[in-house]
Amino acid sequence: MGKGEITVLRLGHRPQRDKRITTHVALVARAFGANSIQISEKDAELEKTIRDVVDRFGGDFSIETGVSWKKVIRQWEGPVIHLTMYGERLEDVLGNIEKGDVLVVVGAEKVPGEIFKLADYNVSVGNQPHSEVAALALFLDRFTEAKWAGQRFEGKRIILPSRKGKTVIDIDEGYLDREDCLKVLREAGCEQDVIKHSEVVTKLAVKMAEACEADQDLVRTASMLHDIGRSVTHGPEHGYQGGRILRKMGFPESIASIVERHVGGGLGAQELKGLGLPAKDLVPVTLEEKIVCLADKLVDDNQKVRLEIEIQKLMEKGLEKATQRVKELHRELTKICCIDPEELDL
Ligand SMILES: [Fe+2]
């Protein structure tokens, strides 16, 4: 507590009649930035429904039903905000609410009169009759200053925004199969030659992972997606952009960081700064990050290439640091894999 968390307290839930609307209150709370919901009436079925959503779609959100609402409000240390069409206008009150943990009280059709006295703020989202679900959504949007849109859930299921139809990706233990990777690359707008290159890099990277006893599924997924940033730029910042795109889509950090660190044997903070990006070290650290990074260097377009040719290119561009990093990566992985990765057949 005290970390700026948002808890929603739902009053007057009737398990038989209100299941759908209270489910919506809980889902809206989760999607738009609240951390938990407490419901005054016991409803085990509702708890299960919401926990199933959290399990599939991720995020850190908890539900508790059968709480004593008076006790919750009395013991609450931060501001208590009651959403009601009779309250003061949201735009008039918003700036006055202290930061910290807030309790947002959402009533059903009838709420006990005392709640108006117990709440620190009685707030209306418009003074017209509408819905507590809409009121909560609008309140959370304004209160979080729309930051909910940048939340990361990292669930097992990801819905990719699509122009037409539905693109649903199921992440199994943090991995994707080839077909799902292709869907993600296409949805991001990657060109066909980038996709072909990624498939060849994947073949080589997986062989390296096998030889080095690295996590093959992770390497397979990340190498398929390593150039997703090329959907926005072909410059050296495409790695950074790729990580950003995948995080925004809801991909796990393990995949995003491999993608982010694959360019030029890794980029140092100063190099990132020189590209106009946040100064952040993006040098491969884990075995899987190193494998994808080197496999990419060993594949030009969709063909395997001798490393010395790639090193020559880096030197001609005056990229001294990158040249050294690639050489070092090659030395290190040759040692770990007990075979020179250049010798692996596709
Ligand atoms: Fe790349």
Side-chain angles (χ1 to χ4, degrees):
M1 286 292 154
K3 292 179 290 182
E5 295 200 346
I6 303 172
T7 297
V8 173
L9 174 63
R10 164 73 162 164
L11 305 184
H13 167 64
R14 295 161 300 179
Q16 294 309 314
R17 296 178 58 180
D18 299 332
K19 181 167 166 51
R20 190 172 156 82
I21 192 140
T22 306
T23 302
H24 285 189
V25 169
L27 294 178
V28 159
R30 172 185 169 275
F32 297 138
N35 305 86
S36 60
I37 187 163
Q38 303 203 337
I39 292 162
S40 51
E41 293 71 25
K42 186 76 195 159
D43 189 338
E45 206 185 315
L46 179 66
E47 285 187 17
K48 188 181 174 310
T49 304
I50 300 305
R51 287 189 186 126
D52 282 351
V53 170
V54 174
D55 184 50
R56 273 182 295 143
F57 289 89
D60 193 10
F61 183 81
S62 61
I63 178 166
E64 194 183 351
T65 68
V67 301
S68 157
W69 64 267
K70 279 189 194 172
K71 209 169 153 190
V72 173
I73 294 178
R74 287 209 175 104
Q75 290 179 350
W76 194 261
E77 288 177 5
V80 175
I81 303 143
H82 172 216
L83 300 183
T84 163
M85 69 181 278
Y86 305 103
E88 297 177 276
R89 281 189 300 214
L90 174 62
E91 53 273 35
D92 295 337
V93 178
L94 206 53
N96 303 337
I97 302 172
E98 315 85 269
K99 295 291 170 201
D101 293 339
V102 298
L103 183 68
V104 184
V105 184
V106 181
E109 234 167 281
K110 282 186 182 145
V111 292
E114 317 168 58
I115 193 79
F116 286 87
K117 287 192 184 126
L118 289 170
D120 299 303
Y121 302 94
N122 290 290
V123 178
S124 63
V125 181
N127 296 105
Q128 297 300 312
H130 55 83
S131 152
E132 60 263 44
V133 178
L136 179 63
L138 283 165
F139 173 81
L140 290 172
D141 181 58
R142 304 282 159 81
F143 186 73
T144 64
E145 294 167 357
K147 289 199 182 77
W148 61 268
Q151 284 185 99
R152 292 184 67 196
F153 288 99
E154 293 198 18
K156 293 178 193 163
R157 174 162 285 190
I158 292 177
I159 311 289
L160 294 186
S162 300
R163 286 184 69 192
K164 287 181 182 173
K166 304 173 183 174
T167 313
V168 179
I169 303 293
D170 282 311
I171 300 189
D172 179 21
E173 306 285 329
Y175 313 125
L176 267 66
D177 61 22
R178 176 177 171 270
E179 284 310 310
D180 276 346
C181 287
L182 292 175
K183 273 193 221 166
V184 174
L185 292 172
R186 287 186 191 125
E187 211 53 72
C190 284
E191 290 155 7
Q192 197 49 38
D193 55 349
V194 169
I195 296 178
K196 267 192 188 164
H197 162 76
S198 305
E199 296 225 66
V200 180
V201 171
T202 303
K203 271 192 189 168
L204 181 61
V206 170
K207 288 214 162 178
M208 284 165 66
E210 218 174 332
C212 297
E213 294 183 15
D215 184 337
Q216 289 180 46
D217 292 322
L218 177 59
V219 166
R220 183 178 293 110
T221 306
S223 48
M224 274 299 287
L225 300 176
H226 80 280
D227 267 349
I228 193 167
R230 287 189 185 267
S231 58
V232 290
T233 173
H234 289 288
E237 64 276 31
H238 73 269
Y240 171 86
Q241 295 296 355
R244 211 179 58 90
I245 292 169
L246 290 174
R247 289 190 185 97
K248 214 167 162 189
M249 285 176 169
F251 277 86
E253 191 52 33
S254 53
I255 298 174
S257 71
I258 294 180
V259 170
E260 192 173 59
R261 292 162 188 252
H262 85 273
V263 176
L267 296 172
Q270 283 310 314
E271 289 159 285
L272 260 289
K273 215 176 159 189
L275 293 169
L277 298 172
K280 187 176 166 190
D281 248 328
L282 293 182
V283 173
V285 176
T286 68
L287 183 54
E288 288 77 14
E289 287 168 3
K290 288 175 181 172
I291 287 172
V292 175
C293 192
L294 186 65
D296 185 38
K297 272 279 151 275
L298 289 169
V299 175
D300 186 22
D301 207 358
N302 56 9
Q303 306 251 351
K304 245 185 97 187
V305 65
R306 298 302 299 176
L307 192 62
E308 62 191 74
I309 295 174
E310 288 303 295
I311 286 176
Q312 189 62 36
K313 281 189 203 166
L314 291 173
M315 275 163 54
E316 280 165 15
K317 286 184 197 162
L319 299 170
E320 181 56 30
K321 278 186 188 163
T323 310
Q324 289 314 318
R325 278 192 305 253
V326 172
K327 281 184 180 172
E328 181 51 37
L329 259 184
H330 179 237
R331 254 196 304 271
E332 197 185 340
L333 288 176
T334 301
K335 203 172 159 198
I336 300 172
C337 299
C338 301
I339 181 171
D340 182 343
E342 281 201 80
E343 307 308 324
L344 292 167
D345 289 327
L346 282 182

